[in-house]
Structure formats: C-alpha cells, structure tokens
Amino acid sequence: MFKAFRILILLGILVTVAGTTLIGRWQAQSWKRPQVVTLYPINASGDAVTDLYLERLDAAAFAGLAPYFQQEAARYGVSLSEPMRIVLGGRVRVVPPAPPRDAGPLSAISWSLRMRWWAWRSTPPSSPVPDVKLFLMYHPPDFAGALPHSIGLEKGRLGLVHLFAMKSQQAQNEVVIAHEALHTFGASDKYDRATLAPVFPEGYAAPRQEPRYPQTAAELMAGRVPVREGELRVPAGLSETLVGPQTAAEIGWVK
C-alpha cells in the first residue's frame, strides 16, 4: 500500500513537471510580452584579473543583445518592440556543478536536475523576475586552450555560458550569449559537432547564394562563417550573424 502511494506521488510530480514545462514553452514561444533574460556573472576560476573585470562590468557590455533580437524578430513579423529584455543581475559567488564528461543521457539528466537545484539556491534576487537565467562563466584572458562548451537548457530555461573576461572580446561574447539564449527557447544547433562546420542549408546565412562561398555572415545557431569549403571563421559580433528561418520556426517567430 505504501509503495503504491509512493509511486502515485512520483507520478504526480512527473505530471506536474511535464505540465509546467509545456506551459512554460507555450508562454516562451507565444511572444505576447517581452521575455526577461537575466545575466549572472561568475568568476569561473577565482583569479584576480577576472575579478577586476567583473567589478567593472556593466550593462554596456551587453547593449547589442536586445536591439539584435528586436531586429531579427521583426524580420519574421514579430511586432514586439522588445522581444527580449536583457537584464544584468548580481554576481553569483558559487560555481555551478560541472557538466558530466560522460555524454550518456542519464548523466545529462542528473546534471540538469542538479543545475536547476543549484540555480534555485544560488541565484540572487532580481527585478523584473527572469524568464531565462544565463550564468556567465568568465575566464581570464590568458586561459589556456579552448573554453569549455557552453550549454543552454530549454527545460529549466537556464544556461551556462563560457566567456573571456576581456573588453576586446565583448562583441564575440554577445554572440555566444545570444546563441545560448535561443537554446532556452527551443532552438537547435545548426553545426556538425565533430567539425564545427555549419550544416547546409539550415546552418548557412545565405544558402541560396551563388557562388556559395564566401559567406559574409553566420547563422546564429551555426556559430561560424563558412569562408570556403573546409574553412570557417568566428563572427566578429552580432552584426555578422542572423537568425535563419528554421531557427525562427523553432522558437516561435514563424507560426
């Protein structure tokens, strides 16, 4: 009897979570009001250089995000003057749980749940109430090697975004932030994970262009500009990216 009661409670929790996720997705993709995306800076390694950068960090470092989303949404007929409201939240002093090295689904689910619990406990109060929480993991300018992979979660509507603590990198940081933000609205990646090359045609900003190369911009969810076959470059900023039609459909800009 007790076992059946416990199973009933677990089923109730699962149904509630599933229902909340569906309602949240509908609200996120209806675009009836601005979606509040709050950014929470974190010193990923605790070094002094990054700490000094974060002490001086202000909203100007993210000034290109809201106009970019307004411009791109307007191309698809979204009438909101501010589809996304970008808010700089307070610094978070506790480092989030590291993503699993094991790529298996159980590890991913476990990490996602721990990440949501961590976010609930560690996020400082912010006004207006965020729809999306992006935790910006800043690394020092002399960070060795490639930055860890950034992650945006539609379930839970949060993201872990790895960035360089450099003023000269702020434009490219905005590209990474915008990419992960759209993941929380349901956008999928448009690149090959093994090669990082944009997938044709959905990962190309101008797939009908003749000749195909060089492309002059990147599809935001592909993240690279194809210069020629086998050669890619990172966009210098949001001005060298756009939201393609498949991504627009995934996030509800195209009905």
Side-chain angles (χ1 to χ4, degrees):
M1 184 71 176
F2 177 74
K3 184 178 180 181
F5 182 67
R6 189 171 59 181
I7 291 172
L8 207 62
I9 290 175
L10 289 173
L11 285 173
I13 291 172
L14 287 173
V15 169
T16 301
V17 169
T20 303
T21 300
L22 288 173
I23 292 170
R25 178 168 186 159
W26 177 83
Q27 289 176 336
Q29 296 190 353
S30 64
W31 301 102
K32 300 293 185 184
R33 62 167 178 83
Q35 293 290 295
V36 178
V37 178
T38 304
L39 313 176
Y40 300 96
I42 301 174
N43 187 338
S45 58
D47 67 286
V49 173
T50 301
D51 211 57
L52 181 60
Y53 175 84
L54 293 185
E55 287 298 325
R56 298 172 177 174
L57 188 67
D58 59 21
F62 315 102
L65 287 165
Y68 173 79
F69 286 124
Q70 191 278 328
Q71 167 194 298
E72 290 301 292
R75 291 199 302 113
Y76 292 100
V78 177
S79 58
L80 276 177
S81 61
E82 191 182 30
M84 290 195 208
R85 183 173 301 162
I86 308 299
V87 176
L88 178 58
R91 284 183 62 178
V92 173
R93 306 285 177 174
V94 183
V95 176
R101 294 181 181 179
D102 173 18
L106 290 179
S107 297
I109 291 169
S110 173
W111 175 79
S112 172
L113 292 173
R114 285 187 290 115
M115 182 66 190
R116 281 188 259 181
W117 174 252
W118 171 88
W120 180 74
R121 294 191 65 187
S122 305
T123 305
S126 180
S127 180
V129 176
D131 297 295
V132 173
K133 298 177 181 180
L134 296 182
F135 298 95
L136 310 184
M137 301 288 288
Y138 280 96
H139 299 267
D142 60 354
F143 184 84
L147 289 181
H149 185 68
S150 297
I151 300 172
L153 301 175
E154 184 181 8
K155 293 179 180 178
R157 307 203 66 198
L158 54 86
L160 203 57
V161 189
H162 291 274
L163 308 168
F164 281 110
M166 298 171 61
K167 195 165 185 178
S168 61
Q169 281 286 129
Q170 285 177 353
Q172 289 188 337
N173 283 349
E174 284 188 316
V175 174
V176 183
I177 293 168
H179 177 103
E180 299 306 330
L182 288 198
H183 273 314
T184 71
F185 288 86
S188 63
D189 284 321
K190 308 292 185 302
Y191 62 87
D192 184 292
R193 288 183 176 272
T195 64
L196 300 183
V199 175
F200 186 83
E202 60 268 25
Y204 279 60
R208 297 181 182 179
Q209 173 184 295
E210 291 293 342
R212 183 178 299 175
Y213 305 105
Q215 296 276 308
T216 58
E219 206 285 344
L220 180 62
M221 301 310 294
R224 298 289 190 281
V225 182
V227 178
R228 58 176 60 89
E229 189 71 43
E231 183 179 341
L232 313 168
R233 69 175 178 85
V234 176
L238 288 171
S239 62
E240 291 191 348
T241 74
L242 57 76
V243 175
Q246 182 171 320
T247 298
E250 288 170 347
I251 66 175
W253 284 356
V254 176
K255 303 300 181 185

